[in-house]
Amino acid sequence: MGIAAHANESSKYTFVLTADTYDEYNKLKEIYSLVPFCENYAGLSFLYNKYDFPFIVSELDKIGLKNRRIDKKLYESIKSLHNITPLKIHPDLQARIKREVKPFQVEAIERMSGSPFYLLGDLMGLGKTSSALLTVMNLLAYGKASSAVIVATASSLGKWSDECSKIFGKKHGIDIVVADGGKEQRAQIFRDEHQITVINLESLARDYKQLMKYNKFKRFISNSIIVVDEAHRIKNYDTLNHKSVYALGNMALRKYALTGTPMDGKLTSIYGIFRFLHQPLFGKFSSFDKFHIKRDFFGGIDSFKNVDIVEKKAKPFILRRRKEEVLGSFPSIVEKDYIIPMTAAEQKIYKKLEKSEIQELYDSKLISEDARIDPDMEISIFSACCQWCDCPGLVDPQWKQVGSKMKALDEILEQVIEGGNKVVVFTKFKMMLDILSKYLKYDMCLLYGSMSSKERKESMDEFLANPDKKVFLMTTAGKESIDLHGTEIDGKWVDGANYLIMYDSMMNPAVNEQITGRIDRIGQQKSMTVIRLFSKGTIEETDVRDTILKRMKINKAVLEGAGL
């Protein structure tokens, strides 16, 4: 009983398994049904994607085809794709580092340096920026590339230069520049070919087609490393953001992605990130869709399948750690769900909202004519229900009573602040932030989407530096690239927030993790508490919580191999 493996001349990404007997052929057909990028090649042979190799070998062992004949040279070349040889930190670079690099960061640097593509998916607060910057400098030190382009969000452009100063000292001598200003200014910065160029993802999406017309730019990228920060922003492969980094990535020497939330409960997210990193790993989306997605009658995503195969194929190219795994004594985090009962008046109107009995609400004058509800839009009804839970005044401006959830928040804040703590309060609705900022009787700082980068930084600095500022009130605009756990002032550590109150929760668990990551970071000195508020007997308690738990389960199955 033997199966021979042969290289296929037409593609460097395929190999062929050939059965010696019809019995073996029938067993191979079982595996054929488990692998999406596979076709009947000729006679008793099957053509496979090389990146399916570890999975296929394990399946061959399961069905008893252990005495297979495999070409050793081919076997080793395929195996090497999955066995990354770490590249140690260059001695010259080691001598320049002024700050301690923790062992778990060294592991990330060496693994990323040893692979042409990689996803660093550590949870928020584990220093992905430092690890990525040191990886870039390590590869430059070894002569593996001549330059690097870092694609970042608008709010995090400046942190890369700051990180250089923290790691290598203020006189670091690294040629790092932010490609900002007008379109022509950004193009000129690329033409100048700096050692490290940092560009805003949205700017790149606008500029890349024009930049691709310049041969000098193409030569520059062809000798560069591409690093995408907050890579969950390119998870949708058919968006302009994704297409822009994908175009650059196709020319680059090496590609790396950084995100603490690589999945949002959907396999399509991991596909989008790896399409940028290395498309042959999962192939074309049409094949991925057919093999991993169950569609409903209308063509929408109903559920996912073969999740274990995605986990096995992606595992060699993902490094994801939790704080408790790498920092044994890291402060603990306690999570609490508070279920808040509504008043009878609130509940009466909520039930009719949930049943879409909008006209009856108007006719009975339970709500005013100013109420913001579109009875013909299902999404508007859902949103109205969520807003009613937060504060009835969000739906009906004429509602004058203080909402049950607002009263509960006020009581919780009083206890938390009396305990000497600082707290971040999150709401997804800007109008809710406005209401809370007037209702709560605390000296607080705010952060929301329409604030400029300068205003955001001033608000964060004020919260951390001023002991009288106990509450930081923010929307989803604060979910990325801000640190509220504390800071160093004049060489001394000053504690920031160690409490987070989710006034309302996002249905995407990845976003909720990002928000938690604003206080759950390296340097946090205190134990942390995350409090989530849900209105009793509403879609908040059922739909929102259930969806979060379901998506978290899929994330864990792929990223941690936990199974479904």
Side-chain angles (χ1 to χ4, degrees):
M1 182 185 295
I3 297 176
H6 307 278
N8 177 49
E9 297 297 327
S10 66
S11 172
K12 62 181 178 178
Y13 296 123
T14 59
F15 70 99
V16 177
L17 288 179
T18 304
D20 287 344
T21 68
Y22 278 102
D23 179 54
E24 291 177 4
Y25 173 77
N26 288 329
K27 289 186 176 182
L28 273 182
K29 283 180 73 175
E30 296 178 35
I31 300 174
Y32 173 91
S33 68
L34 295 173
V35 182
F37 315 114
C38 169
E39 58 185 83
N40 204 172
Y41 186 54
L44 305 183
S45 300
F46 288 95
L47 183 69
Y48 296 93
N49 183 328
K50 280 185 180 182
Y51 290 94
D52 290 316
F53 188 71
F55 172 74
I56 290 169
V57 168
S58 66
E59 290 300 315
L60 289 172
D61 289 342
K62 281 182 186 178
I63 63 175
L65 295 179
K66 295 186 178 181
N67 298 320
R68 54 194 179 277
R69 298 187 305 277
I70 297 181
D71 180 274
K72 288 185 178 179
K73 187 176 180 181
L74 175 66
Y75 179 88
E76 290 303 321
S77 70
I78 296 170
K79 191 177 177 183
S80 68
L81 292 169
H82 300 267
N83 292 337
I84 295 169
T85 303
L87 182 64
K88 292 192 175 296
I89 297 177
H90 195 284
D92 292 348
L93 177 63
Q94 192 77 60
R96 295 176 63 188
I97 298 173
K98 306 294 185 186
R99 188 176 74 178
E100 179 193 5
V101 181
K102 298 185 182 297
F104 71 90
Q105 291 178 305
V106 172
E107 180 190 7
I109 295 161
E110 293 182 349
R111 285 179 67 86
M112 291 171 74
S113 297
S115 176
F117 63 94
Y118 209 80
L119 168 58
L120 183 57
D122 286 341
L123 291 189
M124 279 73 67
L126 285 180
K128 290 187 291 295
T129 302
S130 298
S131 298
L133 186 58
L134 284 166
T135 298
V136 166
M137 296 305 297
N138 198 36
L139 292 168
L140 296 181
Y142 275 106
K144 300 287 185 181
S146 60
S147 55
V149 174
I150 295 170
V151 184
T153 58
S155 60
S156 64
L157 292 175
K159 78 174 181 181
W160 291 91
S161 180
D162 293 343
E163 201 65 29
C164 279
S165 299
K166 291 175 183 177
I167 296 173
F168 301 107
K170 290 186 178 179
K171 297 181 179 180
H172 50 69
I174 298 170
D175 179 20
I176 181 169
V177 64
V178 174
D180 54 9
K183 191 171 186 177
E184 186 51 43
Q185 287 175 283
R186 296 194 295 270
Q188 184 58 50
I189 287 170
F190 276 112
R191 287 195 287 268
D192 292 340
E193 299 187 2
H194 296 275
Q195 191 176 31
I196 300 177
T197 305
V198 186
I199 186 169
N200 177 13
L201 175 59
E202 284 72 25
S203 296
L204 179 63
R206 292 192 296 269
D207 296 353
Y208 85 98
K209 287 185 179 179
Q210 183 66 32
L211 291 170
M212 297 288 277
K213 295 178 181 178
Y214 302 117
N215 289 329
K216 188 176 181 181
F217 173 77
K218 291 180 180 179
R219 286 194 299 271
F220 170 66
I221 295 297
S222 67
N223 291 305
S224 295
I225 303 158
I226 305 293
V227 178
V228 178
D229 192 12
E230 306 293 357
H232 51 272
R233 288 179 174 251
I234 63 165
K235 65 185 179 183
N236 297 322
Y237 80 97
D238 57 350
T239 62
L240 199 55
N241 282 348
H242 180 96
K243 289 174 182 176
S244 62
V245 296
Y246 180 73
L248 263 62
N250 277 341
M251 297 184 292
L253 287 172
R254 289 168 175 259
K255 294 170 281 187
Y256 304 105
L258 316 176
T259 175
T261 53
M263 287 187 64
D264 57 2
K266 300 177 182 177
L267 292 188
T268 48
S269 302
I270 209 78
Y271 173 84
I273 294 173
F274 271 100
R275 184 177 184 270
F276 155 69
L277 290 173
H278 193 64
Q279 185 178 16
L281 185 64
F282 289 115
K284 293 181 179 178
F285 184 73
S286 56
S287 297
F288 185 87
D289 188 314
K290 181 179 179 181
F291 195 69
H292 293 294
I293 299 174
K294 289 182 181 179
R295 298 282 177 179
D296 59 26
F297 178 78
F298 300 100
I301 295 176
D302 178 64
S303 59
F304 298 97
K305 56 186 178 179
N306 301 312
V307 176
D308 59 325
I309 296 177
V310 175
E311 186 267 331
K312 287 176 182 176
K313 290 179 70 173
K315 189 174 182 180
F317 311 106
I318 297 179
L319 184 60
R320 180 172 174 82
R321 285 85 53 91
R322 296 181 176 276
K323 295 179 185 67
E324 57 269 22
E325 295 173 29
V326 296
L327 301 170
S329 59
F330 196 80
S332 61
I333 183 164
V334 176
E335 300 187 45
K336 300 177 180 178
D337 287 357
Y338 282 44
I339 311 300
I340 314 298
M342 287 182 166
T343 65
E346 289 172 342
Q347 196 170 39
K348 181 179 180 180
I349 295 175
Y350 173 83
K351 291 299 181 185
K352 292 189 178 295
L353 273 177
E354 195 175 51
K355 294 176 182 178
S356 301
E357 296 174 356
I358 311 303
Q359 195 57 50
E360 186 178 332
L361 285 172
Y362 284 121
D363 292 343
S364 60
K365 300 191 183 302
L366 287 171
I367 57 175
S368 72
E369 293 180 359
D370 298 329
R372 307 178 183 95
I373 310 169
D374 183 349
D376 298 323
M377 293 288 290
E378 185 177 336
I379 193 167
S380 178
I381 297 296
F382 183 87
S383 180
C385 287
C386 291
Q387 290 176 344
W388 189 268
C389 293
D390 273 6
C391 172
L394 283 177
V395 178
D396 185 358
Q398 300 302 320
W399 186 278
K400 300 303 180 184
Q401 301 172 40
V402 176
S404 301
K405 195 191 274 192
M406 289 173 62
K407 290 180 180 178
L409 173 65
D410 202 10
E411 292 171 5
I412 294 167
L413 280 175
E414 186 177 354
Q415 295 175 14
V416 170
I417 292 170
E418 279 183 1
N421 304 291
K422 284 194 169 190
V423 58
V424 175
V425 178
F426 165 80
T427 175
K428 58 191 173 189
F429 299 114
K430 169 59 168 60
M431 287 175 62
M432 192 67 235
L433 180 143
D434 294 337
I435 291 171
L436 289 176
S437 66
K438 295 172 184 175
Y439 169 71
L440 298 172
K441 307 304 180 186
Y442 298 101
D443 195 5
M444 66 186 84
C445 297
L446 309 178
L447 193 151
Y448 47 89
S450 60
M451 292 173 69
S452 66
S453 298
K454 182 182 177 182
E455 290 171 329
R456 294 182 190 201
K457 188 175 187 307
E458 288 173 351
S459 184
M460 289 185 286
D461 290 346
E462 175 71 5
F463 176 71
L464 293 171
N466 188 340
D468 294 327
K469 298 283 187 179
K470 299 295 187 182
V471 178
F472 191 92
L473 189 55
M474 71 177 195
T475 64
T476 49
K479 66 185 172 68
E480 295 171 346
S481 305
I482 67 168
D483 301 342
L484 298 172
H485 66 301
T487 190
E488 226 175 66
I489 299 177
D490 297 329
K492 293 182 179 180
W493 180 260
V494 176
D495 287 326
N498 63 314
Y499 269 76
L500 168 66
I501 299 177
M502 302 284 288
Y503 188 75
D504 42 45
S505 296
M506 304 296 290
M507 294 184 80
N508 184 345
V511 177
N512 294 330
E513 278 189 13
Q514 287 177 312
I515 295 163
T516 303
R518 300 314 102 212
I519 66 167
D520 188 13
R521 311 186 71 77
I522 290 178
Q524 177 63 268
Q525 307 290 322
K526 294 183 174 183
S527 296
M528 295 160 284
T529 301
V530 176
I531 296 172
R532 292 178 289 261
L533 306 184
F534 299 96
S535 293
K536 187 175 181 179
T538 68
I539 56 173
E540 279 195 336
E541 190 184 9
T542 54
D543 293 37
V544 175
R545 286 183 83 196
D546 288 351
T547 301
I548 291 170
L549 292 172
K550 183 179 178 181
R551 290 184 175 183
M552 285 176 67
K553 194 174 182 181
I554 295 175
N555 290 357
K556 199 169 183 181
V558 173
L559 300 175
E560 301 175 28
L564 286 172

